[in-house]
Amino acid sequence: PHQKQSLRGEIEQLEALRADRDQPRLVDTPLLVTIVAIVHDNLNTLPQERAELYEECVKALLSEGYKEQSEEQLALVQRGGKFNEKRNILAQLAFEMMGTTDRRKSKEERARTTVPERQLLSWIRPLVVKLRGEERADGWLAEFSDSMRERGSLLDERDGEYRFTHLTFQEFLAATYLGDTIGEADEIVSRLIHDGRVADSWWRETVLLTAGYIALRSPDRALRL
């Protein structure tokens, strides 16, 4: 009972902070209630830094520790590559999806933007070729898209159109793409200045999360950024 009360209080505090930033609720589905509860159980608290909290949520979603374990479930988790491979691919996808939205639309409308499977696969195929080689790329991509459809956690798929299940995870994974794949502060800034992204409110949370994510590993790099 004490642990449940602690979790409830920390979720309320988290949502109050998000409301202050004019962000939508994070814990807004039964799945996310479960994921946040798992993070709380694993760490005995919810991380105060947003980047660290979202990192732990993504880990829980990709490892599917919230589902009953079985041989069939383990096989599904392993489809589409190792954890870091899937995470890096989703990070690139998130970054590309951040850049596809129409600036004339509101943030709520932009958050509902979907992309067709053909576009999604064209974005991530070059990375898959680097990871698995040209001959194995298409087979791996088919497995990846199947696993994402069946998993139904980080990506939603309806009638061949995809979007992230929550804008927060798209923003965070785009930040990890900048922090891990782009890496150098000067290059990150160059990417964010491109097309006025750094002054676009749509990118604001991703910009902040990029600095927060880098700071988890290297405060000096974060300060340089």
Side-chain angles (χ1 to χ4, degrees):
H2 173 73
Q3 193 171 25
K4 287 183 179 179
Q5 186 176 2
S6 172
L7 173 60
R8 186 179 299 112
E10 291 187 50
I11 289 176
E12 289 174 355
Q13 183 181 25
L14 167 69
E15 299 295 13
L17 289 171
R18 290 179 65 86
D20 285 345
R21 299 188 189 98
D22 198 28
Q23 295 173 318
R25 290 182 62 85
L26 175 65
V27 190
D28 61 354
T29 66
L31 172 61
L32 283 168
V33 171
T34 302
I35 292 303
V36 170
I38 288 173
V39 172
H40 186 272
D41 287 347
N42 288 343
L43 303 178
N44 295 316
T45 187
L46 291 182
Q48 294 299 302
E49 296 293 336
R50 301 199 302 288
E52 185 179 3
L53 172 61
Y54 304 154
E55 171 92 328
E56 293 299 326
C57 288
V58 166
K59 286 180 183 177
L61 283 162
L62 279 181
S63 65
E64 298 203 15
Y66 59 95
K67 292 184 178 178
E68 183 177 350
Q69 297 300 298
S70 65
E71 289 186 9
E72 182 180 353
Q73 179 61 23
L74 181 61
L76 177 59
V77 171
Q78 292 175 339
R79 286 178 65 190
K82 298 177 181 178
F83 171 84
N84 282 337
E85 287 180 333
K86 287 182 285 194
R87 184 179 177 283
N88 290 343
I89 287 168
L90 287 167
Q92 178 170 355
L93 176 60
F95 182 79
E96 299 289 358
M97 288 183 70
M98 286 295 298
T100 62
T101 59
D102 187 341
R103 292 189 182 188
R104 294 170 296 182
K105 295 181 178 179
S106 68
K107 185 169 184 177
E108 290 74 18
E109 291 174 315
R110 294 168 88 173
R112 293 194 293 271
T113 298
T114 62
V115 296
E117 183 173 67
R118 180 178 295 180
Q119 176 66 77
L120 180 150
L121 296 179
S122 72
W123 278 332
I124 62 178
R125 193 178 189 280
L127 177 56
V128 173
V129 169
K130 287 182 181 178
L131 292 171
R132 296 301 178 95
E134 182 69 44
E135 292 184 357
R136 299 175 61 191
D138 290 332
W140 192 95
L141 282 167
E143 283 194 3
F144 175 80
S145 58
D146 283 348
S147 69
M148 288 297 107
R149 278 197 301 269
E150 293 177 30
R151 180 170 291 116
S153 57
L154 276 169
L155 285 180
D156 270 338
E157 182 271 337
R158 292 185 183 181
D159 300 323
E161 296 279 332
Y162 288 79
R163 70 175 180 179
F164 281 87
T165 54
H166 200 292
L167 176 60
T168 289
F169 297 134
Q170 178 176 309
E171 291 169 328
F172 170 70
L173 285 166
T176 70
Y177 175 81
L178 288 166
D180 289 337
T181 302
I182 306 304
E184 293 298 325
D186 291 346
E187 182 61 22
I188 292 172
V189 170
S190 176
R191 291 292 186 102
L192 291 173
I193 289 174
H194 180 67
D195 289 340
R197 290 168 178 166
V198 76
D200 184 350
S201 62
W202 170 246
W203 283 86
R204 183 176 187 274
E205 182 66 1
T206 293
V207 172
L208 296 174
L209 286 171
T210 300
Y213 175 71
I214 292 173
L216 295 176
R217 292 153 177 78
S218 173
D220 287 345
R221 282 183 60 217
L223 287 171
R224 176 173 167 77
L225 176 62

